Amino acid sequence: MPKDKVCVVIGAGDATGGAIARRFAREGYTAVVTRRHVDKLQHLVAEITSAGGKVHPFGSDARDEEQVTKLFREIETEIGCIEVFVFNIGGNVRFDIRDTTARVYRKVWEMTAFAGFLTAREAAKVMVPRGQGTMLFTGATASVRGGRGFSAFAGGKHAVRALAQSMARELGPQNIHVAHVIIDGAIDTEWIKANFPERYNAGPDAILNPDHIAETYWQLHRQPRSAWTFEMDLRPWKETW
């Protein structure tokens, strides 16, 4: 019996991660979606299921090596072959450097750099022997520019970008497409609506639509290997840069 083709989204939140899972499910992929607390995935699971897609939710802490190895082992043995891996954990916090505690900095590093390493390593372990796969990392403005008050976030996101660069050079010649997408701008979420109403109400297409971000991820996956993209940035037309 042929196995399902799987798209794993690590950090399938209510905006970008969820939209990516829906987009790949629409194309016949089984979406495996993860968050630390599985109950927060109920709405996304209902959306994908009601649209006729296949989805498996997991409560898994991407910072915990044992949980990560168990997750990937279970996907491969019980669900299907991982063809697409998406790392979409955020970690956006803002503190002046004097107010940034060791706990905050360590937690953000674990959520971004360390979790990215653990999950991407496990994805590579199953993709390389098959000689195919796509690995997509969600970046941010902080991936390339450390802003005032964002020392922890920028440190973590810079590290994820470096991880993706290293993996692209190592795995590209083995037919594994690794790409890093810099999301440079506010995303249409309830949090942005509540905390940055001036941005949210700035007019049509003034902030990033999660479904449009997801479309870019789908197109990256479909790229012919003679013209693979490693890095691209997405921003709304009103965003300065």
Side-chain angles (χ1 to χ4, degrees), residues 139 179-183 216-217 220 223 229-234:
H180 180 252
V181 184
I182 298 168
I183 309 298
T216 297
Y217 281 61
L220 280 170
Q223 281 185 328
T229 294
F230 165 67
E231 188 166 73
M232 68 189 323
D233 48 5
L234 303 177

Side-chain angles (χ1 to χ4, degrees), residues 10 36 60-65 68 87 89-91 93 102-120 152-153 155-157 159-160 163:
I10 305 296
R36 272 182 292 171
S60 179
D61 189 339
R63 302 169 299 175
D64 186 296
E65 184 173 22
V68 169
F87 183 75
I89 293 179
V93 297
R103 181 178 179 274
V104 165
Y105 197 94
R106 184 181 296 111
K107 183 177 180 180
V108 173
W109 176 82
E110 288 178 345
M111 290 170 61
T112 51
F114 189 58
F117 155 70
L118 286 178
T119 54
F153 185 48
K157 282 298 186 180
V160 171
L163 171 71

Side-chain angles (χ1 to χ4, degrees), residues 6-143:
V6 172
C7 171
V8 180
V9 181
I10 305 296
D14 299 327
T16 303
I20 294 167
R22 292 193 303 269
R23 183 68 182 89
F24 278 84
R26 205 159 73 233
E27 298 293 339
Y29 282 79
T30 294
V32 171
V33 292
T34 80
R35 293 182 74 163
R36 272 182 292 171
H37 304 290
V38 71
D39 58 296
K40 292 186 177 181
L41 291 164
Q42 290 179 357
H43 181 68
L44 176 59
V45 169
E47 283 185 322
I48 293 174
T49 302
S50 65
K54 298 171 72 174
V55 59
H56 292 268
F58 285 88
S60 179
D61 189 339
R63 302 169 299 175
D64 186 296
E65 184 173 22
E66 185 176 343
Q67 290 188 42
V68 169
T69 55
K70 179 183 176 184
L71 169 69
F72 279 81
R73 183 169 61 248
E74 187 170 342
I75 294 168
E76 285 282 320
T77 56
E78 299 184 16
I79 300 174
C81 298
I82 299 170
E83 291 191 13
V84 181
F85 161 84
V86 179
F87 183 75
N88 187 64
I89 293 179
N92 189 346
V93 297
R94 183 172 188 172
F95 293 98
D96 287 347
I97 190 64
R98 292 172 297 171
D99 299 322
T100 303
T101 64
R103 181 178 179 274
V104 165
Y105 197 94
R106 184 181 296 111
K107 183 177 180 180
V108 173
W109 176 82
E110 288 178 345
M111 290 170 61
T112 51
F114 189 58
F117 155 70
L118 286 178
T119 54
R121 183 192 66 186
E122 295 307 303
K125 285 181 180 179
V126 298
M127 288 182 178
V128 170
R130 290 196 283 262
Q132 65 176 16
T134 301
M135 308 182 75
L136 305 172
F137 294 84
T138 299
T141 307
S143 300

